[in-house]
Amino acid sequence: MEPLGLRAVGSHCSLSEMDDLDLTRALDKPRLKIERKRSFDERSMSELSAGYGRHDGLYDSPRGRSVLDTPLSSARNCFEPHPMMAEAWEALRRSMVFFRGHPVGTLAAVDNTTDEVLNYDQVFVRDFVPSALAFLMNGESDIVKHFLLKTLQLQDSEKRVDRFKLGKGVMPASFKVRHDPVREMDHLVADFGETAIGRVAPVDSGFWWIILLRAYTKSTGDLTLSETPECQKGIKLILSLCLAEGFDTFPTLLCADGCSMIDRRMGVYGYPIEIQALFYMALRCALSMLKPDGDGRECIEQITKRLHALSFHMRNYFWLDYQQLNDIYRYKTEEYSHTAVNKFNVMPDSIPDWVFDFMPLRGGYFVGNVGPAHMDFRWFALGNCVSILSSLATPDQSMAIMDLLEHRWAELVGEMPLKICYPCLEGHEWRIITGCDPKNTRWSYHNGGSWPVLLWQLTAACIKTGRPQIARRAVDLIESRLHRDCWPEYYDGKLGRYVGKQARKYQTWSIAGYLVAKMLLEDPSHIGMISLEEDKLMKPVIKRSASWPQL
């Protein structure tokens, strides 16, 4: 007998035969009155808001509905909400997708200026996260719950690319609602990478799903969803793909190009920082939600061991600041045995010239990739922001990342937040690494383009590190242009001055990213949904400096 009416789905990934009541029916029972304990993050952010409210205009006030019917948090401000807020909410609601009467997500884009739809008319797991956070912050949790349930059901389907079968734990990259006019019924069709450009399965979708499940639980105080056998199984299936023992000698996760937000060939194969940071955060979120019964206990033990190894590895070998750069510059190569200093045999001559000028005396960041004889010195926004939010970065490292951002504002932020990576690839390097990708030309799209959606991760990281003024400066830049330019997907140019040459207009996560950033600044206690406090038990001895000594 299948629990709670959850049925297996065929290889075509359709849910047309599935009873829509399934898990929703079981979860619609009256919720338990749970007195939520405020996390360290919620307490510290509330106290922080009281501290910097005197000079930033942020403070707590009683809940109330805004006159513009925009987020509840708008009513907490002593100033009028920006007109863009109401228009952003209107655009976000236009993108909502319904399945049998229930909201289940938001479209990637609602761009009526082009006939080339591609897959922008689908609900993407990673794209929906900022939309979900905006709805949760506004007290609208139903759409998030239905999204979590439907993607969980799609996970249970058989997944094939040509004749090859994917792992059970793989979450879809996206799904689409299709209407059958004959049977007069909607059904869901998922994409696990079999129709994607490059045919790459998304590694990050499962991690974002776990992170969002925790955000839903923290926001609503409702434990009934995460504690269902189906959600517990879903978490374990995702992690089973990552925690399996094999040939790898590193605790990091080996990944192909195109398996994350940078979903095209951009030289991030190996151990990309974005995936490692999301992996770490998902492990910690799962640890807080898994029940220690049956195989859950074994999974918890595996997670704990991996977290210890992963945090040590990342904080020591991926971290780069002025002192560490100087150490690498002086590395010896071909070292053998346990006494080796240059453990990955990185060639000092491979250090690009730009990084010597880019690195300030005070500041640092997690590099893009580290592997055998390979160190990608590029700065990636998402990986570094998530490292702060998940506490993968130590407090000193988090402050150093913020120091670097302030010091290199023109290069990393420019006129439109935020560069997805820095610097861009060009010339012969671009031809070899991207395969002459015409969409990823220099300072465009994933190759150094500027993405407004990254504003929410930046804002959350700024609030967690107690530096909201950095986020406010970025929000001011967004508000000067984003609505006027019709909410584009990305911007081009070294300073992010031009609307991307192939950017979709009314890109939903650009809209939602702005809303989340604004609501975080207006009510910093929301940070508890997407931030994890440092686990003292996982704090390794850092032999290298977190940053150049404070001047």
Side-chain angles (χ1 to χ4, degrees):
M1 181 176 178
E2 292 161 346
L4 298 178
L6 195 63
R7 303 176 189 171
V9 187
S11 59
H12 51 67
C13 308
S14 170
L15 290 178
S16 59
E17 303 298 327
M18 187 170 294
D19 182 2
D20 190 48
L21 296 178
D22 45 57
L23 283 175
T24 309
R25 178 173 54 195
L27 292 168
D28 279 340
K29 59 187 178 182
R31 292 179 180 175
L32 298 175
K33 293 293 183 180
I34 299 172
E35 184 65 28
R36 272 198 301 165
K37 293 182 179 180
R38 296 170 70 209
S39 69
F40 166 84
D41 302 287
E42 291 172 319
R43 291 198 305 272
S44 60
M45 289 308 113
S46 296
E47 291 157 6
L48 174 64
S49 65
Y52 68 71
R54 290 188 295 274
H55 55 81
D56 266 343
L58 303 178
Y59 66 96
D60 290 331
S61 66
R63 288 183 177 270
R65 176 64 64 177
S66 164
V67 294
L68 294 176
D69 196 29
T70 54
L72 298 175
S73 58
S74 297
R76 297 187 181 96
N77 261 307
C78 59
F79 51 81
E80 287 296 321
H82 196 282
M84 271 178 61
M85 289 282 284
E87 295 178 24
W89 272 104
E90 183 180 342
L92 182 61
R93 296 194 191 285
R94 282 200 302 269
S95 72
M96 290 174 66
V97 174
F98 291 82
F99 177 70
R100 300 180 185 175
H102 296 294
V104 292
T106 51
L107 298 177
V110 186
D111 186 357
N112 296 322
T113 64
T114 178
D115 295 328
E116 191 181 20
V117 177
L118 294 178
N119 54 0
Y120 285 83
D121 63 344
Q122 298 185 27
V123 179
F124 279 81
V125 172
R126 77 173 68 96
D127 291 42
F128 179 67
V129 171
S131 297
L133 294 176
F135 286 122
L136 288 174
M137 291 178 187
N138 199 37
E140 302 177 50
S141 61
D142 281 351
I143 185 173
V144 182
K145 181 177 76 172
H146 290 301
F147 170 85
L148 290 167
L149 292 174
K150 294 307 173 190
T151 47
L152 183 62
Q153 292 164 358
L154 290 168
Q155 182 200 39
D156 198 42
S157 61
E158 186 180 74
K159 301 167 274 284
R160 287 185 180 273
V161 178
D162 292 333
R163 298 183 180 184
F164 184 70
K165 187 177 179 181
L166 279 66
K168 290 183 178 180
V170 175
M171 279 287 184
S174 63
F175 65 84
K176 186 173 184 176
V177 177
R178 286 185 178 167
H179 181 71
D180 184 344
V182 177
R183 303 180 63 183
E184 296 186 351
M185 180 180 292
D186 292 338
H187 62 276
L188 298 182
V189 179
D191 178 13
F192 292 93
E194 69 270 27
T195 62
I197 296 173
R199 300 299 189 267
V200 179
V203 175
D204 62 339
S205 287
F207 298 154
W208 279 123
W209 187 89
I210 293 174
I211 293 166
L212 185 56
L213 178 61
R214 178 200 176 258
Y216 170 87
T217 304
K218 293 285 288 184
S219 175
T220 63
D222 176 19
L223 303 176
T224 57
L225 179 59
S226 63
E227 291 185 349
T228 59
E230 288 73 24
C231 280
Q232 293 286 305
K233 178 185 175 184
I235 294 172
K236 294 170 193 172
L237 284 175
I238 293 168
L239 298 184
S240 67
L241 298 173
C242 315
L243 298 175
E245 296 175 347
F247 289 98
D248 213 325
T249 58
F250 312 136
T252 41
L253 197 62
L254 184 62
C255 297
D257 255 325
C259 63
S260 59
M261 179 181 175
I262 299 179
D263 58 6
R264 300 168 78 92
R265 181 177 166 189
M266 269 291 293
V268 298
Y269 58 88
Y271 306 92
I273 179 61
E274 177 182 334
I275 291 298
Q276 311 315 317
L278 286 172
F279 180 33
Y280 182 85
M281 190 166 191
L283 286 175
R284 293 202 60 199
C285 289
L287 196 61
S288 70
M289 294 186 292
L290 281 174
K291 298 164 71 175
D293 54 3
D295 57 352
R297 187 180 302 278
E298 182 182 351
C299 189
I300 288 171
E301 291 175 358
Q302 286 182 296
I303 291 172
T304 303
K305 290 177 183 178
R306 191 63 168 265
L307 281 170
H308 279 278
L310 184 60
S311 61
F312 179 85
H313 184 94
M314 296 297 297
R315 291 169 178 179
N316 280 277
Y317 304 124
F318 272 67
W319 181 253
L320 187 71
D321 55 22
Y322 180 85
Q323 181 174 324
Q324 175 59 12
L325 179 59
N326 205 162
D327 290 345
I328 297 172
Y329 178 67
R330 292 168 51 82
Y331 267 170
K332 295 179 180 179
T333 60
E334 309 303 324
E335 293 181 300
Y336 179 75
S337 85
H338 296 290
T339 60
V341 175
N342 184 4
K343 294 184 178 181
F344 300 98
N345 201 34
V346 174
M347 308 297 166
D349 288 344
S350 70
I351 303 175
D353 292 338
W354 65 265
V355 78
F356 292 106
D357 296 327
F358 179 76
M359 182 62 70
L361 291 180
R362 187 174 66 186
Y365 65 102
F366 289 102
V367 297
N369 219 317
V370 175
H374 174 56
M375 184 171 283
D376 184 347
F377 290 88
R378 285 178 294 173
W379 176 90
F380 288 87
L382 182 55
N384 277 275
C385 287
V386 173
S387 294
I388 293 174
L389 294 175
S390 64
S391 289
L392 172 59
T394 66
D396 286 344
Q397 287 173 336
S398 296
M399 297 305 290
I401 293 170
M402 288 291 110
D403 287 340
L404 177 77
L405 189 70
E406 283 195 300
H407 195 83
R408 293 300 178 195
W409 184 267
E411 292 92 337
L412 304 180
V413 181
E415 295 183 17
M416 176 54 64
L418 179 66
K419 280 273 178 287
I420 191 170
C421 68
Y422 181 89
C424 70
L425 302 171
E426 51 188 332
H428 179 69
E429 188 179 32
W430 166 79
R431 287 190 290 272
I432 296 299
I433 293 178
T434 73
C436 300
D437 189 344
K439 195 168 185 178
N440 271 330
T441 53
R442 63 176 188 167
W443 306 117
S444 179
Y445 202 47
H446 298 138
N447 190 14
S450 298
W451 292 70
V453 64
L454 295 171
L455 179 68
W456 81 262
Q457 287 106 338
L458 172 64
T459 301
C462 289
I463 291 174
K464 183 171 183 180
T465 54
R467 294 161 86 164
Q469 70 280 2
I470 299 177
R472 283 208 170 278
R473 186 179 174 189
V475 168
D476 287 343
L477 289 173
I478 286 279
E479 289 181 336
S480 69
R481 294 197 55 190
L482 197 60
H483 173 258
R484 184 187 68 193
D485 294 336
C486 300
W487 311 95
E489 180 183 15
Y490 65 95
Y491 285 78
D492 284 353
K494 200 167 186 178
L495 295 176
R497 182 173 292 175
Y498 305 100
V499 174
K501 58 186 175 183
Q502 295 188 44
R504 289 296 192 279
K505 299 293 184 71
Y506 293 97
Q507 186 78 16
T508 303
W509 69 355
S510 295
I511 296 164
Y514 165 71
L515 287 171
V516 172
K518 288 287 286 186
M519 287 190 280
L520 281 170
L521 285 171
E522 292 168 3
D523 183 359
S525 67
H526 285 313
I527 196 73
M529 273 194 281
I530 49 175
S531 175
L532 297 164
E533 63 183 283
E534 185 181 19
D535 189 332
K536 302 298 183 183
L537 296 177
M538 294 178 193
K539 187 174 183 180
V541 176
I542 303 295
K543 297 179 181 178
R544 300 166 180 166
S545 64
S547 176
W548 191 249
Q550 299 275 332
L551 300 179

